[in-house]
Amino acid sequence: MALTTRQAPAAQASIRQPKGRGPLAWLPAISRKSASNRSLLRYVAGLAALLPALALAGIIVILANKAWPAVRVNGVSFLWRSAWAPGNTYGNPVKTDGVLHPVGVAYGALPLIVGTLASSGIAVVFAVPLSIGAALAVVEKLPRRASYVVGMFLELLAGIPSVVFGLWGILTFGPVLSRDVYPAVASIMPKVPILRFFRGDTGYGEGLMTAGLVLAVMIVPIVAATTRDLLRQVPALQKEGAAALGMNEWEVVRKVSIPWVRAGIIGASVLGLARALGETMAIAMVSGSLLGTMPANLYGKMGTIASTIVQQLDGAFSDGTGFAVKTLAEFALLLAVITLLTNIAARFLVRKVSTTALPVGRGV
Amino acid sequence: MTSIPMPASAGSKTARADMPLIVEAAPRSVSVQAKDLALGFGSATILSDLNLDVRKGEITALIGPTGSGKTTFLRSLNRMNDKVAKHWHQGDVLLEGASIYAPGVQLMALRRRVGMVFQRPNPFPMSIAGNILAGVKAHRIASKDHYRDIVEARLREVGLWDAVSNRLNSSPFSLSGGQQQLLCLARALAIGPEVLLLDEPTSSLDPVTTENIEAMVRTLVPALTIVIVTHNLGQARRISDRTVFFYQGKMVESGETSQVFEDPKEPETARYVTGRMG
Ligand SMILES: Nc1ncnc2c1ncn2[C@@H]1O[C@H](COP(=O)(O)OP(=O)(O)OP(=O)(O)O)[C@@H](O)[C@H]1O
Ligand SMILES: [Mg+2]
């Protein structure tokens, strides 16, 4: 029998090999739906489904294991302390709780936690409305060809490596902002709650605000492209219903289109937030790399957990006790936990939103 | 002079039978008027030579085979076709004597006067009460203190109150299809339109719900003027005062429902209403 197609060997195998034998015997047999093969398939699928969970658990366990000595020495106050002192790496190391470390070490994560959350928060605050606006323009306003072009640019933007954003941020975006935008903003902001944070010394373009805005530019494509795809799914029937009720375009968007995809937009924003929380290279370049102190104000130099890890890793290896590296592992663990918590919080938010508003499997 | 249309099936209790007989010698005044209306999309002409008077306070049924332009015509009465790509029209549509296509006509205001219920229910992603109030809020018809009363009144009007009064704040998507359609009807009524356009409102519903909606719609006249598209000839006979027969984008015949069904003037109408076409 001549083998003319690619599928032929598999088909032959299925003929020759009875079910259950041979490593790939289940492959062609799926269509035959034999009971034992189905249970094998379920087993394999279950394993594949478990894989992400296993990977996550593995990463956390390995990180925690590496970080454990540092966790014991740095203590719980690590979380609310502002300090960055690697200690005297040339002197004789000492032991605390049986963990060897240089004399005079003091690490505190608070500035980096704040830097990470604040820069990502700024990014989301700017990026989400911008993304929704861009997505609405693409779906509702622009002619077909223009929306295709805009969509293409969004996808291109999403593919640009973060080091390019970082370089652009430090060479162009940051300086322009600090020269033309920040001072103007800072001077007009009144001394009222929240807005007063926008006052003060605006620096030279490296710092929290610049980092947040660079992150915003980086996550806009993700959030906008997802939101665009979501908005395209809003049924015309519902939008026409709103228009037929005499709503204007903006009301249709606000009352029907956006609520229809609200849960999805939250999901997309969390994707963007996760990217921002973990962004390393661009932040390392535009943050000003401040260690051990809180940013002076919204424009002040700062650091994030991720950027600090990458910037300090090299130096950490010069700590002969290995304590600096263990502390970086503790930071990494912290970042993983923060990301996890944000995701869980978002999941709750999505569930809450979708039970009140979204159609859940109840079409007509 | 109106007359009682024949029930579709003998013995079935029709909404019409309960209605008092209103006998009027003089023709009722006209609510909506299509004048030499032609309409199309791009190079396609969908409707042409359309002249039709929709009488005030009556139910006008639009019947005709699939693709004959009933929906397109209905949508031209509240300008829902405007946003369709490459839409064009000639001629005019008058509402109470004034052109709805005249420059300066506000779409929002027009659609407040001419409401619409679609073929399939289309509740908005907000609470049941929110759905009823959506138009009320958009047009700022009432103040907040009246919201509760409006919701209750409208839901009672369509006979949905008892079913949903305990879950006004939950999602409308948990309602049955028929209930959702009633909700959409209540939503359209809440802004107090003069004219209500119904595009096959019961086509996806069971006979009992259909009968309820028919009875409900009957109670809306003569306060409202209703134009209803239906493929259900029995429905057209049961609820409409006048019937218009569409065929291939043209109005072939219009007249009192009993006349159109029992004594059609045009051969196409005769073939359609006797079930030999469409
Ligand atoms: N947006 C559009 N673009 C182009 N052609 C359209 C559009 N909408 C409707 N048509 C065409 O107009 C014609 C009439 O359609 P319409 O929906 O008005 O028919 P109908 O009488 O309501 O049919 P049905 O009873 O099946 O609902 C059809 O041939 C349809 O293909
Ligand atoms: Mg139709």
Side-chain angles (χ1 to χ4, degrees), chain B residues 70-72 119 199-200 229 231:
Chain B
K70 307 179 294 295
T71 296
T72 308
Q119 181 170 357
D199 192 356
E200 302 182 45
V229 172
H231 278 293

Side-chain angles (χ1 to χ4, degrees), chain B residues 62-67 70 119 200 203 229-235 272:
Chain B
L62 306 184
I63 61 170
T66 246
K70 307 179 294 295
Q119 181 170 357
E200 302 182 45
S203 63
V229 172
T230 180
H231 278 293
N232 181 337
L233 297 183
Q235 180 171 70
Y272 186 72

Side-chain angles (χ1 to χ4, degrees), chain A residues 73 89 92 97 101 103 126 136 138 142 164 176 186 200 215 232 255 262 287 292 338 342:
Chain A
V73 173
T89 48
N92 284 332
D97 284 342
H101 63 83
V103 180
F126 280 94
L136 282 172
V138 166
L142 295 181
V164 177
V176 167
L215 285 176
R232 287 204 172 126
K255 296 287 175 72
R262 193 185 287 140
S287 67
I338 289 176
T342 7

Side-chain angles (χ1 to χ4, degrees), chain A residues 140 237-238 240-249 251 255-256 259-260 262 355-360 362 364, chain B residues 75 80 108 111 116 118 120-126 134-135 138-139 171 173-177 180 187-188 191:
Chain A
E140 305 282 352
L237 192 64
Q238 252 76 11
E240 286 203 323
L245 212 53
M247 292 191 195
N248 60 34
E249 270 176 87
E251 286 168 326
K255 296 287 175 72
V256 175
W260 194 271
R262 193 185 287 140
T355 48
T356 53
L358 272 179
V360 200
R362 200 57 201 255
V364 175
Chain B
R75 289 162 59 92
M80 285 303 287
M108 279 194 73
R111 288 169 184 168
M116 185 172 216
F118 293 71
R120 280 180 296 137
N122 52 356
F124 303 149
M126 50 181 82
H139 295 283
S171 164
F173 297 100
S174 59
L175 299 176
S176 77
Q180 289 184 24
R187 182 177 72 191
I191 56 173

Side-chain angles (χ1 to χ4, degrees), chain B residues 220-238:
Chain B
L220 297 175
V221 285
L224 264 72
T225 303
I226 291 175
V227 184
I228 179 170
V229 172
T230 180
H231 278 293
N232 181 337
L233 297 183
Q235 180 171 70
R237 297 181 74 151
R238 283 193 296 275

